[in-house]
Amino acid sequence: MKLATLKDGTRDGQLAVVSRDLRTAHIADGIAPTLQRALDDWGFIAPQLERIYEQLNAGKAHRAFDFDPKRCMAPLPRAFQWADGSAYVNHVELVRKARNAEMPESFWHDPLIYQGGSDDFIGPADDIVLASEEWGIDFEGEVAVVTDDVPMGTKPEQAASHIRLLMLVNDVSLRNLIPAELAKGFGFFQSKPASSFSPVAVTPDELGDVWREGKVHLPLRVTWNGTLVGQPNAGVDMVFNFPQLIAHLARTRNARAGTIIGSGTVSNKDTKKGYTCIAEKRCLEMIAEGAAKTPFMKFGDRVRIEMLDVHGKSIFGAIDQQVAPAELTRK
Amino acid sequence: MKLATLKDGTRDGQLAVVSRDLRTAHIADGIAPTLQRALDDWGFIAPQLERIYEQLNAGKAHRAFDFDPKRCMAPLPRAFQWADGSAYVNHVELVRKARNAEMPESFWHDPLIYQGGSDDFIGPADDIVLASEEWGIDFEGEVAVVTDDVPMGTKPEQAASHIRLLMLVNDVSLRNLIPAELAKGFGFFQSKPASSFSPVAVTPDELGDVWREGKVHLPLRVTWNGTLVGQPNAGVDMVFNFPQLIAHLARTRNARAGTIIGSGTVSNKDTKKGYTCIAEKRCLEMIAEGAAKTPFMKFGDRVRIEMLDVHGKSIFGAIDQQVAPAELTRK
C-alpha cells in the first residue's frame, strides 16, 4: 500500500491512498483524516485503506483522481519523533579520515543516532528555504522507516514487526555549521534544518524480496542539477539494519506510533557508486587531492532523490526540490 | 490562565481549564479537545478558554469538578518538538570542573541546546519507569516555555511574543550513559529518557512581575525523598533567557506551534541554594572532597519539583513521582 498526505491548508494535510503506479489517488477521509491518525490505530485503519488501494490498482475506485507529487506534503508533515541513524559506517569513517581523525572501533558495533527536529517537515517538491549559502547547504539521501508503538527494551529480533511504512528522506545539512556545533558536545541542532520526505510512504510488502534483513536492497538514485551523482545500493554496507536502529532507540524509553527512524546517508565502499551527499564527495577529494573542490549547493540548485524497483518504476515517487533564499528578517 | 490535560484513555488526553488555586477544573471539550489543537489556533481558542477560566475562579462554572493532579498527563502528552537548553552556564562549568575539563569561553555567549524525544512524555504523578538503577538515574528541575509558530530567523527581541505557556519539567537523565554517548559526538540520546511535566501549563500573565527579562524570578523547589535539596532562583544566573533560546532554535528553521523549550537544570552560583539535579551535588563533592558520595536515585525514590508564588501558593502544581523498575523483557 502507498500513502500520501495532500496539501489542504491544514497543518497535518489530507491522507490519501495512492496507486502502485503513482498515477491515481483517492482521499481516505471516511477512514482516517491524517496519516498520524492512521498510525495511532493502524490495526483497525490499515485494512480499510488496503481496500481502497486494491480498488485503485484495479481501476475500480469511484472517486480516483490524478496523483500530483507537487500537491504533497511530507507523508507526516509533522511527527512526534524523528531519529536519524548513521548506519553506513563507511561514510562516518570517510568523514573522519578526511580530517585526519581516527574513528573509534566501537562505531562498528554501537549505532550512532541523533534526535532531529520533527515539527516542520518539507514536502517532496517544496523549496528548501534557507537564509545563507555560506552555511554550506548539502543534501543527504536516506531511507527511513515509520514505526507503531515500540515498548522500551524491545530487541532487534522483535523490532522488525513494528515497521509499518518506509519513505525516502532528504536530510538537509548545513555543513559549515557542523564543526562548531559538534565541538560543543550536544550534537547537531542548527546544522540540521527541516528535512524533506518522498511523496509516498509505502508498506514493507510493497518492496517484495528487496526488503530483507531489515534493509532495502535497491540503489538510491541522487541527481544534482540534472546530473546523476550517486546510486549506491541501500542494502550494501548498511552496518546496522532498521531493527537494530529501532532497538537502540527504544533501549531506555518507549517509541510511540509515528516515530520516524532514518538510515543516515546511504554510502557504499565502492566509490564508483557515487555519493548521496556532497560532503562525502568532498572527503574523497580531500583524501585524494588534499583539498575539496566540489562546492556545496547554491540558491537555485536542484536535488532529486528516487528509488526505482527492478522494473525501473519509481517506488516512493521523487523528492525533487530546489534551494531558495529566505528573507533574512521576519517578524 | 491554567491548562491541564486529563487522562481519558487517548494518546493526547482531554484538555481542561484549571482554576488559579488548582482546586477545580472544567473540561474544554466544546472549545478544543486537546492542548495541541488549542495551540494550533491559539488566537481563536485562547479567549474562549479564558472565559471558562474566569468563571472557574469566580466559582460560577456550571460543570466544575475537583482538580486531581494524579489524573493529569503532561500538558502536551506528546509534542512535535522538545528542545532543551542549558542556560544556567554555572551548572555546565561545574560539571566540566569536576572532570578537570576547561569550559570553552564561547559557552557564555552561544547557547547550548539539544533536541529531545517528545513522543512519550510522562504525567506529573506517573512513575519514572526504567530498566536499571545502574544507569545512574537523576532528576533535573527546569522551567520550560511553549511557543506558537516561530518563523525562521526570529530575533530575541521578537521571540518573547511567541511564548504562550510555561511549565515545569523533570528532565530525567541517565548519568552513567552520558560519557560514552557524548564521546560519540552526536549528543544525548539513550541518556535522556522520557521527561515529566507539571500538572498545569500557565500563560505568562499568571506570573505577574516575576515574569520579566524572559525569565521566571522565583525559586524552583526540589524535594528528594521528603528532603528539600534545592531552591535556586530560576531568574538568577540564567545566562540565556527564553527569547534568546527561542531565537537560537529558530536560526535555521521554523519552530511550529507547540514547541517546548527548556531552560536546562536550574542552578545558582550560590551553593547554599542547593541543587536541582544530583549530578551537580556530586560535582561539588568531587571538587571539594575528591570523590562523589551522594548516590543517584534508586527504585522507590521520590522527587518533587514545584514553584510557589510570593504568597506561598503552588503555581504549576507539583511534579511528584517515584522511580519504578521496568520489566526487562517486553514483546
Side-chain angles (χ1 to χ4, degrees):
Chain A
M1 177 165 60
K2 302 192 178 190
L3 300 171
T5 295
L6 303 180
K7 295 176 184 179
D8 69 348
T10 68
R11 294 173 182 271
D12 296 302
Q14 166 66 59
L15 180 62
V17 183
V18 181
S19 64
R20 183 167 289 126
D21 62 9
L22 303 177
R23 293 201 178 175
T24 58
H26 194 284
I27 294 300
D29 202 16
I31 300 168
T34 68
L35 182 52
Q36 181 63 51
R37 290 277 282 276
L39 288 158
D40 282 348
D41 196 9
W42 188 255
F44 180 69
I45 299 292
Q48 302 176 57
L49 298 173
E50 286 279 5
R51 276 197 291 278
I52 296 185
Y53 186 58
E54 284 160 23
Q55 290 168 357
L56 261 182
N57 288 331
K60 289 179 180 170
H62 288 298
R63 294 185 289 127
F65 55 91
D66 290 349
F67 177 62
D68 179 4
K70 290 197 180 61
R71 280 190 59 202
C72 288
M73 304 172 85
L76 287 167
R78 51 182 182 173
F80 295 107
Q81 176 152 241
W82 158 229
D84 197 12
S86 199
Y88 300 85
V89 179
N90 167 59
H91 167 78
V92 182
E93 197 175 35
L94 262 180
V95 172
R96 298 268 175 150
K97 201 169 165 188
R99 59 171 205 247
N100 286 311
E102 196 84 7
M103 188 183 77
E105 206 273 337
S106 65
F107 280 27
W108 294 102
H109 314 294
D110 183 27
L112 276 175
I113 298 185
Y114 76 90
Q115 194 85 48
S118 53
D119 60 322
D120 189 43
F121 290 140
I122 308 175
D126 292 344
D127 288 349
I128 300 165
V129 176
L130 291 166
S132 174
E133 290 175 340
E134 303 300 310
W135 288 343
I137 304 164
D138 200 359
F139 47 81
E140 282 197 4
E142 306 190 7
V143 179
V145 298
V146 183
T147 73
D148 60 10
D149 290 317
V150 182
M152 178 161 50
T154 295
K155 303 294 178 206
E157 44 283 16
Q158 303 142 344
S161 68
H162 291 287
I163 297 172
R164 292 286 166 248
L165 296 166
L166 291 111
M167 309 185 285
L168 303 183
V169 191
N170 180 10
D171 181 42
V172 179
S173 297
L174 302 175
R175 298 294 176 191
N176 296 339
L177 303 186
I178 289 181
E181 197 147 63
L182 291 196
K184 290 161 72 178
F186 269 36
F188 305 107
F189 197 88
Q190 293 179 336
S191 53
K192 292 285 185 180
S195 299
S196 322
F197 290 84
S198 51
V200 301
V202 313
T203 46
D205 61 293
E206 283 295 321
L207 295 169
D209 62 3
V210 300
W211 172 245
R212 59 179 190 273
E213 303 144 10
K215 307 173 188 181
V216 181
H217 294 264
L218 283 174
L220 184 69
R221 294 169 56 88
V222 175
T223 305
W224 181 15
N225 291 332
T227 304
L228 182 71
V229 296
Q231 46 184 331
N233 192 304
V236 173
D237 298 325
M238 189 184 190
V239 175
F240 306 103
N241 64 18
F242 282 110
Q244 288 171 308
L245 295 176
I246 294 168
H248 185 90
L249 183 151
R251 183 178 171 218
T252 60
R253 48 172 153 154
N254 306 305
R256 302 304 303 272
T259 288
I260 307 171
I261 302 171
S263 66
T265 311
V266 177
S267 173
N268 287 171
K269 286 183 186 172
D270 177 1
T271 56
K272 290 195 300 292
K273 299 293 185 183
Y275 56 91
T276 68
C277 71
I278 302 171
E280 185 160 314
K281 172 69 170 164
R282 288 168 58 90
C283 286
L284 290 168
E285 292 167 351
M286 274 185 255
I287 292 163
E289 303 158 49
K293 62 181 188 198
T294 304
F296 290 117
M297 296 182 91
K298 304 288 180 199
F299 292 138
D301 273 17
R302 288 200 81 82
V303 60
R304 183 182 170 96
I305 300 173
E306 197 166 18
M307 189 174 261
L308 309 180
D309 68 16
V310 291
H311 307 291
K313 305 284 188 195
S314 185
I315 297 173
F316 302 93
I319 296 172
D320 191 346
Q321 49 184 182
Q322 68 176 352
V323 182
E327 305 159 60
L328 277 166
T329 313
R330 302 288 186 93
K331 71 170 158 81
Chain B
M1 177 166 59
K2 302 192 178 189
L3 300 171
T5 295
L6 303 180
K7 295 176 184 178
D8 69 349
T10 68
R11 293 173 182 270
D12 296 302
Q14 165 68 59
L15 180 61
V17 183
V18 181
S19 63
R20 181 167 293 127
D21 62 10
L22 304 177
R23 293 199 177 177
T24 58
H26 193 286
I27 293 301
D29 203 15
I31 300 169
T34 67
L35 182 53
Q36 182 62 51
R37 290 278 282 277
L39 288 159
D40 282 349
D41 196 9
W42 188 255
F44 180 70
I45 299 292
Q48 301 176 57
L49 298 173
E50 286 280 5
R51 274 196 293 278
I52 296 184
Y53 186 59
E54 285 161 23
Q55 290 168 358
L56 261 183
N57 287 331
K60 290 179 179 169
H62 288 298
R63 294 185 290 127
F65 55 91
D66 289 349
F67 177 63
D68 179 4
K70 291 197 179 61
R71 280 190 58 202
C72 287
M73 304 172 84
L76 287 168
R78 50 181 182 174
F80 295 108
Q81 177 153 240
W82 159 230
D84 196 11
S86 199
Y88 300 85
V89 179
N90 167 59
H91 167 78
V92 182
E93 197 175 34
L94 261 181
V95 172
R96 298 269 174 149
K97 201 169 164 188
R99 59 172 204 246
N100 285 311
E102 194 85 5
M103 187 184 78
E105 205 274 337
S106 65
F107 280 27
W108 294 101
H109 314 295
D110 183 26
L112 277 175
I113 298 185
Y114 77 89
Q115 195 85 49
S118 54
D119 60 321
D120 189 44
F121 290 140
I122 308 175
D126 292 344
D127 288 350
I128 300 165
V129 176
L130 291 166
S132 173
E133 291 175 339
E134 303 300 310
W135 288 342
I137 304 164
D138 199 358
F139 47 81
E140 282 197 4
E142 305 190 8
V143 179
V145 298
V146 183
T147 74
D148 61 10
D149 290 317
V150 182
M152 177 161 50
T154 295
K155 302 296 179 204
E157 46 279 21
Q158 303 142 344
S161 68
H162 292 287
I163 297 171
R164 293 284 165 250
L165 295 166
L166 291 111
M167 308 185 287
L168 303 182
V169 190
N170 180 10
D171 181 42
V172 180
S173 297
L174 302 175
R175 299 293 175 191
N176 295 340
L177 302 186
I178 289 181
E181 196 147 65
L182 291 195
K184 291 161 72 178
F186 270 36
F188 305 107
F189 197 87
Q190 293 179 336
S191 52
K192 293 285 186 180
S195 299
S196 322
F197 291 85
S198 50
V200 302
V202 311
T203 46
D205 62 293
E206 283 295 321
L207 295 170
D209 62 2
V210 299
W211 171 244
R212 58 179 190 273
E213 303 143 10
K215 307 173 189 181
V216 181
H217 293 264
L218 283 174
L220 184 70
R221 294 168 57 87
V222 175
T223 304
W224 181 15
N225 291 333
T227 304
L228 182 71
V229 296
Q231 46 184 331
N233 192 304
V236 173
D237 299 325
M238 188 185 191
V239 175
F240 306 104
N241 65 18
F242 282 110
Q244 287 171 309
L245 295 176
I246 293 168
H248 185 90
L249 184 151
R251 183 177 170 218
T252 60
R253 49 172 152 151
N254 306 306
R256 302 305 303 273
T259 288
I260 306 170
I261 301 171
S263 65
T265 311
V266 177
S267 173
N268 287 171
K269 286 183 184 171
D270 177 1
T271 55
K272 290 194 300 294
K273 299 293 185 183
Y275 56 91
T276 68
C277 72
I278 302 170
E280 185 161 314
K281 173 69 170 164
R282 289 169 56 91
C283 286
L284 290 168
E285 291 167 351
M286 273 185 256
I287 293 164
E289 304 158 49
K293 63 180 188 199
T294 304
F296 290 117
M297 296 180 91
K298 304 289 180 199
F299 293 137
D301 274 16
R302 289 199 81 83
V303 60
R304 182 182 171 97
I305 300 173
E306 195 166 20
M307 188 174 261
L308 308 180
D309 68 16
V310 291
H311 306 292
K313 305 282 187 195
S314 185
I315 298 173
F316 302 93
I319 297 172
D320 191 346
Q321 49 185 183
Q322 68 176 352
V323 182
E327 302 160 63
L328 277 165
T329 312
R330 302 288 186 94
K331 73 171 158 78

